[in-house]
Amino acid sequence: MKITLRVNGTDHVREVEPRLLLSDFLRHEIGLTGTHVGCEHGVCGACTILWDGEPARACLAFAVQAEGHEIRTVESLSPGPGRLDALQQAFQDSHALQCGYCTPGILMTLTAFLAENPHPDEAAVREALSGNLCRCTGYQHIVDAVLRVAAA
Amino acid sequence: MKPAAFDWHAPTLLAEALALKAGHGEAARFLAGGQSLVPAMNFRVAQPAVLIDLNRVAVLDHLGFEEDGTLAIGALCRYRRLERDAEVARRLPLLAEALAEVAHPQIRTRGTLGGNLCHADPASEMPAVMLALEARLVLRRAGGIRQVAAAEFFLGPLATALAEDEMLAEIRIPPLPPGSGTAFLEVARRRGDYAMMGVAVVLRRGPDGRCDLARIALCSAGPTPMAAPRAAAALLGQALEPAAFAAAAALAVQEIAPMGSVQASPAYQRHLAGVLLPRALARAAERAA
Amino acid sequence: MTSFGRPLTRNEDPRLLRGEALFVDDVELPGLLHAAFLRSPHAHARLLAIDTAAARARPGVVAVVTAADLGEYWQPGPLLVPPPPVPGMEFHQRCQVPLVRDKARHVGEPVAMVLAESRYLAEDAVADILVDWESLPAVGDLEAALAADAPLVHDDLTSNVAARVHQARGDYAAAARAAHLVLKRRFTYDRGASIPMETRGIVADWDRRADRLTVWDTTQAPVVIRNGLAAMLGLSERQVRVVAPNIGGGFGPKMMMFYPEEVLVPWAALRLGRPVKWIEDRLEHFFATTHERSQIHDAEIALDAQGKILGVRDVFLHDTGAYDPYGLTVPLNSQCTLLGCYVVPAYDSAFTAVFTNRTLVTPYRGAGRQHGVFVMERLLDLAARALGIDRAEIRRRNFIPADAFPFDQGVIYQDFSRLSYDSGDYEPILDKALAAIGYDDFLARVQPTARAEGRALGIGLVCYVEGTGIGPYEGARVQVQGSGKVSLATGIGSQGQGHATAFAQVVAEQIGVDIRDVEVVTGDTDQFQWGVGTFASRGAVVAGSAAHEAAKVVRAKILRTAAAHFECAEADLVLADGAVTVAGTDRRIALGALAGLANPMRGAVTPGTEPGLEATRYFGPASGATASGVHAMILEIDRATLRPTILDYVVVHDCGTVINPLILAGQIHGGVAQGIGNAFFEKLAWDSEGQLLNASLADYLIPTALDVPRMRLEHTVTPSPLNPLGVKGAGEAGAIPVGALFAQAIEDALGLPARDIEIREMPLSPSRLWEITEGG
Ligand SMILES: Cc1cc2nc3c(=O)[nH]c(=O)nc-3n(C[C@H](O)[C@@H](O)[C@@H](O)COP(=O)(O)OP(=O)(O)OC[C@H]3O[C@@H](n4cnc5c(N)ncnc54)[C@H](O)[C@@H]3O)c2cc1C
Ligand code: FES
Ligand code: FES
């Protein structure tokens, strides 16, 4: 069926099967490969996007369901070509990523979290991160990056 | 892990949704937040031929207290809306306390209480909370409506009293008896995991200072959410003190039938019930007026 | 300003942060076909018949491939690591097959490959395939697998023994006779999985016109894959390009090769003349990507009255899974690493590797070292208790003295050389760790106070060594480009360890450019032809050293070319900030311009001149560099629920010279997190039929941000004499000692020694701990 999805402020019209997962739509239909897929059962968080501003798993929704909603992916964070937003910059400065596979999902979770809690303490940051798995970093530098942004 | 093909219907009217279900029967599943159904479809353990997506049925997405203090929760009301509602937190703190243990914010953005109850996972927190709150569930079918008590809704692991053509439309939670205190406690392996054991309790101190109301429900304690009526009854007329809590816990441990999981042996689950119940009862007693 | 040794942020980050970096599943090609696999549902079953007609007939399906369709191409995979030259050893090589032909030997073994227009369709068709199986009894338990009447994983063998290796030096029997104390215990370590956030994947594209095959693969060893694929497919190596782009974590299992899918997907692309993609899903990952860790040790330690080790004897079983292409790397690591930081005058160790009906076992971060450390450190804990010696003290008494290096351990290591520690100094590490964690104060004051309040606090302290940076070799090519930027190419893949930055620092140090101007290419066989791979914590050591050597040559070329240009002595030149300057003058030439001079387009050059400011060098260490460290931890445990909370965690580590402390810290943090998972969360659970019971991330639990504590890191430095940089690897150090640490700290917190309860197994869980401590 034909759908129009609004992603990062742009409308995308595609012919899709109802069963196409939103994560596959973003990655393979419209080429936004920044959203990653690590489990397809909602646990790892790599596919986290913003759904009307709230963090949600792209692997647990069908693309057809996103019609009429505002979807935001990691590609929308950068303030301009080649630039990083404050959170992304803090990630680089704190060495908060290694392989970087979990990173887009974590950035989306944290973008929503910081909008609601601009000055969290470490415990709150860890709690907020607990729905995203990272296998490389042991999380410490990610926590540091968030605290860096929170302090700014 | 890609879902099998299905026909997708996204009605906007309740009647349409019910008619679709009546027409397709067992071949069709309702889709609410998708946080249990879609993973099951991705694993292909669920392969419904028809999905009736409820997300556009606006009338199902309501939340509010009625005049008599009953909280009416539309089947499509998201966890997120529930947990952010200050009035819910004030009047039904048990609900808010337990919600925080359910999954993660990213899941609660889309997940619904209604879908969670229909999924009927015995390890899930909310079904036990519904028992403790004596919730009533409004079930609709094309041209029909009935209410069942939460205690009658859950029949077994992933099995409910819903008939083939029925939908859960609304969850109705009566007001807590004035003066009662509640508590929810669980032990999970990690934050956001299903509990290895969870307990929900409601207590009230009578005019004579002794317990005159007690309800105990547990999750991960059997094939359905489990009530512990004998343990609750044993508290009645007792002073709300550690000895009574321990005695009640000892009874509750006999009433449950934990099934064990990869994470916890049945013996350990039973042990946890014995640990958590006195803690939860003490906390509820503290909170009771 | 020199960049070497500084905590510089990474070159690779901006693209990853913007979601612009290429991972294998990001590769899109016109006409792409998608593969899905039918996998064995049985742990052990004979394949009687297979009917693919319905699958082939499904619209959108292009091909269905079974073992029979492969013809001559059907070959068991190559043996990656031959057995070690240990006298008297026995080794049976049985390598994995591309598709099951006669019988399946583990759940998830591929049986048929479907190629279709989408992954969705391919999975539909997999469900259409009908297979007649004759289910056979499966072996999982290591001891049961060795019973005389056990079902055989490989019918042509007389037992399930995959290998037997015995290494000994000194006279253990005599040591035991002379000992004041001999302790004998059984220790077990169960299976876990590496679970990188990115699963495996492969895309293959046969370009008919260019006559070339391009393969994008989530491998840690692209060059080896290219060479192997070329050989298997009958192509020349020139015709095959393997790219390991950004890899979403590997931790060892992406070093395994050839996975069946790696053999089949390129073949299908060639056959069908269309590009093919296969991305492992998480469910497949639990069965199809290699595991690690099951071992059972019966170990014995002999000590004198002062707690000095006289000897250790260890007999252990190692689960190798259904096949053993990775040889004996893991059990050899266990065998060798057991010796740890200690002088062990007599050592007698024998292991039996056992075939089971389970997924293959190949190295995963730590690669068997955990087991050795667990056994030795537990034995020392128990000995300390029996002898009334403090835990730290018994370790100190047995340390290899600082003046004893290089120290020959007299056994054969995984690189087949004699295990010899290049350098080290263990007491300062221990002292730092004790001070940092507040060991004395904890025992004297903190713990008793907490106990009085009813809280169960415990401390743990574990020492370990890590053999790192083994051979054979890696290479690097450094080139100054016309733009003035410097490129560095090596053959290893990268899984997120920050090679693009660490290597850039090594090169920038020599060539005097900003690290942002060093472009590092790893993992593309068109960019560099030779190499082995990222494993055994060897990237920084071996490829880093090669980069250093190549950069040194380029530096010399730069100075020579500039001296000719300025007609001055090389000694008068300053190479810095991307240019060469004649000291004390304003005569200056940018590196880019100099590169142009080094590549004249007309005229003649002196015979023998090599064009360009470029050099390629290879580095192969004689043997591995031995890193070492101490982890210390304070944890609190809820006596009733048995859930632990880590209150403090200290790592003191010596990995020689540090290239980038920020990256090093990240490596250690990540290792500790995996160690915590391995110690307390992660355990693959099987039923008696060999079915995996927790094949999802909801049931196989990897630690979250709330399960990993803040870690405090300190370092000591004993440079390695075996490489020009003095570095030792650090990739696995974080993960190795954590199991032993948990066991010790939990025993301490719960006062288990007083109750005569010992923790002798890994991984733990609250439920298991309850069984051990309360459940009888
Ligand atoms: C990572 C992760 C962690 C989780 N952790 C927890 C946890 O700790 N505790 C916990 O309790 N749960 C947990 N969950 C599950 C979650 O709570 C879901 O059970 C919940 O979101 C289901 O609601 P839904 O709206 O998403 O339902 P859906 O997935 O849409 O539907 C669930 C089932 O209910 C049926 N259904 C839905 N609505 C109706 C209706 N109105 N009438 C009749 N049938 C209906 C569907 O057909 C389906 O069978 C977790 C899920 C994930 C992905
Ligand atoms: S891919 Fe969606 S949560 Fe893992
Ligand atoms: S950086 Fe690799 S998974 Fe997080």
Side-chain angles (χ1 to χ4, degrees):
Chain A
M1 54 188 290
K2 196 180 194 133
I3 56 168
T4 305
L5 293 201
R6 195 160 179 79
V7 183
N8 301 334
T10 306
D11 283 339
H12 298 268
V13 184
R14 290 290 186 284
E15 183 69 38
V16 302
E17 269 191 285
R19 63 167 158 169
L20 185 72
L21 296 172
L22 178 58
S23 44
D24 283 332
F25 179 90
L26 295 171
R27 293 179 45 74
H28 303 304
E29 290 294 324
I30 62 174
L32 294 179
T33 51
T35 299
H36 292 157
V37 167
C39 72
E40 298 184 309
H41 49 277
V43 184
C44 76
C47 69
T48 305
I49 45 97
L50 298 186
W51 179 291
D52 294 332
E54 301 268 11
R57 306 294 203 220
C59 71
L60 297 188
F62 301 109
V64 289
Q65 295 185 282
E67 228 177 5
H69 298 275
E70 232 3 280
I71 304 299
R72 269 188 75 190
T73 69
V74 67
E75 284 89 349
S76 73
L77 296 181
S78 153
R83 298 181 45 211
L84 301 178
D85 78 358
L87 182 62
Q88 290 171 314
Q89 189 59 56
F91 263 58
Q92 182 177 23
D93 293 344
S94 306
H95 182 34
L97 60 154
Q98 290 182 28
C99 77
Y101 199 77
C102 66
T103 311
I106 289 184
L107 290 172
M108 299 321 280
T109 291
L110 291 173
T111 295
F113 171 70
L114 285 167
E116 219 173 313
N117 314 271
H119 303 294
D121 61 10
E122 172 156 358
V125 173
R126 287 186 179 268
E127 172 89 33
L129 275 171
S130 69
N132 288 81
L133 299 175
C134 171
R135 194 58 155 165
C136 298
T137 65
Y139 305 101
Q140 184 158 324
H141 285 161
I142 302 180
V143 173
D144 292 346
V146 186
L147 294 176
R148 199 184 270 242
V149 174
Chain B
M1 288 185 52
K2 308 295 182 189
F6 53 81
D7 286 335
W8 180 68
H9 299 276
T12 53
L13 299 177
L14 183 58
E16 262 181 276
L18 294 172
L20 280 163
K21 186 69 172 139
H24 291 286
E26 236 183 315
R29 294 279 282 273
F30 289 118
L31 174 62
Q35 307 300 293
S36 284
L37 184 53
V38 180
M41 290 175 66
N42 288 356
F43 278 110
R44 294 200 180 205
V45 294
Q47 301 197 19
V50 177
L51 274 192
I52 307 167
D53 189 341
L54 299 179
N55 283 277
R56 295 176 192 184
V57 183
V59 297
L60 288 175
D61 188 5
H62 63 268
L63 175 69
F65 286 93
E66 296 177 354
E67 236 159 74
D68 68 348
T70 297
L71 176 64
I73 306 171
L76 196 65
C77 176
R78 315 270 172 201
Y79 284 135
R80 208 81 171 123
R81 181 165 170 202
L82 260 179
E83 75 189 70
R84 283 187 176 154
D85 193 293
E87 199 60 7
V88 169
R90 197 176 62 77
R91 296 212 220 172
L92 293 168
L94 181 62
L95 197 53
E97 192 173 16
L99 269 175
E101 305 285 348
V102 176
H104 305 280
Q106 299 94 329
I107 306 303
R108 300 198 298 264
T109 293
R110 304 220 4 103
T112 67
L113 176 60
N116 173 266
L117 299 182
C118 294
H119 186 58
D121 188 322
S124 183
E125 291 85 355
M126 283 299 135
V129 170
M130 294 300 118
L131 292 196
L133 292 177
E134 298 192 337
R136 296 189 65 77
L137 308 182
V138 180
L139 313 186
R140 281 181 179 274
R141 60 149 60 87
I145 184 167
R146 63 173 176 140
Q147 278 199 19
V148 298
E152 288 144 30
F153 183 73
F154 301 103
L155 302 183
L158 312 188
T160 68
L162 281 166
E164 211 181 276
D165 58 350
E166 261 180 333
M167 159 202 293
L168 169 63
E170 188 177 272
I171 299 120
R172 300 180 60 77
I173 303 180
L176 273 177
S180 48
T182 62
F184 184 86
L185 278 181
E186 74 171 43
V187 178
R189 291 299 306 274
R190 302 172 305 182
R191 190 88 181 102
D193 284 344
Y194 282 100
M196 293 188 285
M197 175 54 59
V199 300
V201 300
V202 180
L203 273 189
R204 192 173 62 181
R205 199 176 266 118
D208 61 352
R210 292 176 180 272
C211 178
D212 72 346
L213 181 148
R215 299 181 204 147
I216 298 175
L218 305 94
C219 64
S220 276
T224 61
M226 301 291 280
R230 285 200 293 135
L235 284 165
L236 299 177
Q238 304 291 314
L240 294 178
E241 278 163 10
F245 302 153
L251 279 176
V253 165
Q254 302 305 313
E255 291 185 80
I256 59 178
M259 300 185 298
S261 70
V262 181
Q263 314 303 347
S265 68
Y268 174 66
Q269 287 184 303
R270 226 180 257 282
H271 163 75
L272 284 181
V275 171
L276 291 180
L277 260 179
R279 291 182 187 179
L281 290 168
R283 193 173 283 195
E286 233 169 74
R287 291 166 176 175
Chain C
M1 187 175 25
T2 169
S3 64
F4 192 87
R6 290 179 49 218
L8 297 178
T9 62
R10 300 197 317 169
N11 283 348
E12 49 271 74
D13 286 358
R15 291 178 56 77
L16 289 163
L17 285 161
R18 287 194 297 263
E20 292 165 359
L22 182 81
F23 290 86
V24 170
D25 188 32
D26 301 342
V27 174
E28 293 286 352
L29 297 164
L32 191 60
L33 285 175
H34 296 263
F37 288 87
L38 173 72
R39 296 178 181 278
S40 170
H42 300 286
H44 197 191
R46 214 165 290 289
L47 177 65
L48 302 178
I50 179 163
D51 176 358
T52 59
R56 285 176 209 270
R58 183 179 275 272
V61 172
V62 172
V64 180
V65 180
T66 64
D69 301 314
L70 293 176
E72 289 291 291
Y73 193 66
W74 191 96
Q75 293 291 336
L79 180 68
L80 263 179
V81 184
V86 176
M89 66 125 233
E90 173 185 348
F91 178 68
H92 303 286
Q93 171 189 341
R94 291 297 177 277
C95 289
Q96 71 287 358
V97 301
L99 291 171
V100 171
R101 194 165 60 179
D102 46 7
K103 77 170 186 174
R105 295 183 175 85
H106 67 86
V107 175
E109 197 169 2
V111 179
M113 172 173 65
V114 172
L115 297 141
E117 300 293 342
S118 80
R119 172 69 182 232
Y120 290 74
L121 289 170
E123 290 190 21
D124 293 345
V126 164
D128 294 336
I129 300 174
L130 300 175
V131 183
D132 263 344
W133 292 105
E134 178 199 342
S135 163
L136 302 169
V139 289
D141 178 83
L142 290 181
E143 289 179 303
L146 293 179
D149 58 350
L152 291 178
V153 178
H154 296 280
D155 300 335
D156 59 331
L157 294 177
T158 54
S159 77
N160 289 315
V161 172
R164 290 186 202 276
V165 174
H166 181 203
Q167 299 210 64
R169 64 165 164 65
D171 183 348
Y172 177 78
R177 277 196 303 277
H180 172 78
L181 174 71
V182 175
L183 279 171
K184 181 167 186 188
R185 293 291 189 279
R186 167 164 283 209
F187 301 95
T188 58
Y189 222 107
D190 228 321
R191 269 199 186 222
S194 64
I195 315 289
M197 284 298 99
E198 178 201 41
T199 53
R200 290 186 298 119
I202 181 162
V203 179
D205 181 31
W206 172 247
D207 184 334
R208 190 162 47 81
R209 291 177 195 83
D211 209 23
R212 283 201 88 193
L213 178 72
T214 304
V215 175
W216 291 263
D217 188 359
T218 55
T219 180
Q220 298 171 221
V223 176
V224 188
I225 294 287
R226 181 211 45 199
N227 297 350
L229 276 181
M232 283 185 257
L233 294 166
L235 299 172
S236 87
E237 285 167 15
R238 171 200 71 75
Q239 285 178 288
V240 183
R241 175 188 180 199
V242 174
V243 183
N246 290 279
I247 304 298
F251 314 119
K254 287 179 182 170
M255 182 67 205
M256 156 68 192
M257 62 201 104
F258 285 78
Y259 279 103
E261 304 87 358
E262 254 165 347
V263 173
L264 294 168
V265 169
W267 176 87
L270 265 161
R271 269 301 171 97
L272 300 171
R274 285 179 65 177
V276 177
K277 177 189 273 190
W278 170 73
I279 300 298
E280 180 183 61
D281 65 34
R282 187 56 71 183
L283 181 61
E284 293 182 283
H285 179 81
F286 274 101
F287 302 99
T289 290
T290 54
H291 296 162
E292 218 212 90
R293 304 233 193 294
S294 289
Q295 288 183 0
I296 302 175
H297 290 251
D298 288 307
E300 195 175 318
I301 189 168
L303 308 103
D304 71 13
Q306 280 68 50
K308 273 255 186 199
I309 301 169
L310 303 176
V312 171
R313 176 156 66 193
D314 183 24
V315 177
F316 69 98
L317 301 179
H318 167 77
D319 177 0
T320 194
Y323 303 95
D324 57 358
Y326 222 102
L328 300 176
T329 300
V330 174
L332 275 177
N333 266 339
S334 307
Q335 187 165 58
C336 291
T337 308
L338 185 143
L339 293 164
C341 312
Y342 311 112
V343 177
V344 180
Y347 184 42
D348 189 310
S349 168
F351 68 79
T352 303
V354 182
F355 287 119
T356 59
N357 289 116
R358 291 191 177 167
T359 298
L360 287 64
V361 166
T362 70
Y364 157 39
R365 200 173 202 165
R369 297 176 182 88
Q370 280 87 340
H371 309 75
V373 170
F374 186 68
V375 171
M376 185 61 148
E377 295 294 306
R378 292 272 64 202
L379 285 172
L380 284 174
D381 290 340
L382 298 174
R385 197 177 293 166
L387 295 170
I389 304 174
D390 172 74
R391 281 173 273 169
E393 181 57 27
I394 197 167
R395 290 171 164 85
R396 191 188 300 277
R397 286 184 194 172
N398 286 292
F399 278 160
I400 297 164
D403 59 8
F405 294 91
F407 185 81
D408 183 354
Q409 284 286 27
V411 286
I412 301 291
Y413 192 46
Q414 62 152 309
D415 62 353
F416 307 159
S417 64
R418 261 168 90 94
L419 177 63
S420 168
Y421 297 175
D422 55 338
S423 64
D425 188 358
Y426 303 144
E427 279 209 66
I429 304 179
L430 179 62
D431 289 333
K432 271 197 171 189
L434 293 174
I437 199 86
Y439 184 74
D440 293 335
D441 184 51
F442 178 85
L443 291 181
R445 200 183 54 77
V446 179
Q447 189 176 44
T449 313
R451 285 229 167 108
E453 293 166 3
R455 298 171 62 195
L457 265 61
I459 198 164
L461 157 96
V462 164
C463 309
Y464 62 95
V465 297
E466 182 197 355
T468 75
I470 59 171
Y473 79 92
E474 289 297 338
R477 184 179 64 245
V478 172
Q479 186 203 342
V480 180
Q481 304 177 46
S483 63
K485 294 199 181 205
V486 179
S487 72
L488 166 73
T490 92
I492 65 170
S494 187
Q495 337 144 39
Q497 307 99 318
H499 289 147
T501 309
F503 296 168
Q505 285 177 268
V506 168
V507 170
E509 173 80 5
Q510 290 301 321
I511 303 196
V513 292
D514 189 283
I515 68 149
R516 300 285 182 241
D517 289 329
V518 183
E519 300 171 351
V520 178
V521 182
T522 62
D524 182 342
T525 60
D526 268 12
Q527 299 286 329
F528 202 82
Q529 299 277 332
W530 300 95
V532 184
T534 6
F535 61 95
S537 305
R538 65 193 290 282
V541 180
V542 188
S545 294
H548 172 79
E549 296 296 310
K552 262 176 39 187
V553 177
V554 172
R555 176 188 177 85
K557 278 191 178 174
I558 290 170
L559 294 176
R560 199 179 329 124
T561 313
H565 173 67
F566 290 124
E567 297 181 336
C568 69
E570 285 181 33
D572 295 335
L573 296 172
V574 179
L575 171 54
D577 301 328
V580 187
T581 317
V582 182
T585 74
D586 58 0
R587 300 176 67 202
R588 180 177 188 279
I589 183 163
L591 282 182
L594 201 62
L597 293 184
N599 183 23
M601 288 294 115
R602 292 290 183 277
V605 296
T606 322
T609 302
E610 288 175 15
L613 301 176
E614 180 187 289
T616 301
R617 282 295 178 276
Y618 297 89
F619 180 77
S623 63
T626 304
S628 60
V630 171
H631 288 208
M633 165 170 86
I634 294 174
L635 65 68
E636 174 163 13
I637 190 158
D638 180 327
R639 284 182 200 281
T641 66
L642 297 173
R643 284 190 93 243
T645 308
I646 301 172
L647 303 179
D648 196 7
Y649 201 109
V650 168
V651 177
V652 184
H653 186 53
D654 175 2
C655 58
T657 311
V658 175
I659 301 175
N660 183 326
L662 201 56
I663 292 178
L664 173 60
Q667 284 293 311
I668 293 183
H669 293 162
V672 170
Q674 286 183 351
I676 290 172
N678 188 206
F680 211 78
F681 291 93
E682 303 179 33
K683 176 175 171 168
L684 293 167
W686 314 77
D687 71 9
S688 57
E689 260 88 64
Q691 295 292 337
L692 185 55
L693 300 174
N694 53 346
S696 90
L697 290 185
D699 302 306
Y700 183 86
L701 311 178
I702 76 173
T704 73
L706 290 169
D707 306 310
V708 182
R710 182 160 282 279
M711 295 158 248
R712 297 189 288 133
L713 271 46
E714 294 194 27
H715 302 284
T716 64
V717 176
T718 57
S720 172
L722 299 179
N723 64 72
L725 299 171
V727 299
K728 301 173 176 180
E732 298 169 275
I736 293 171
V738 191
L741 192 64
F742 259 77
Q744 192 192 106
I746 288 174
E747 279 183 359
D748 189 35
L750 291 173
L752 298 185
R755 295 165 58 193
D756 264 334
I757 296 172
E758 297 168 355
I759 294 176
R760 288 183 272 109
E761 64 185 61
M762 277 290 136
L764 296 170
S765 67
S767 182
R768 181 63 194 139
L769 203 50
W770 184 76
E771 278 165 19
I772 294 173
T773 59
E774 314 292 335

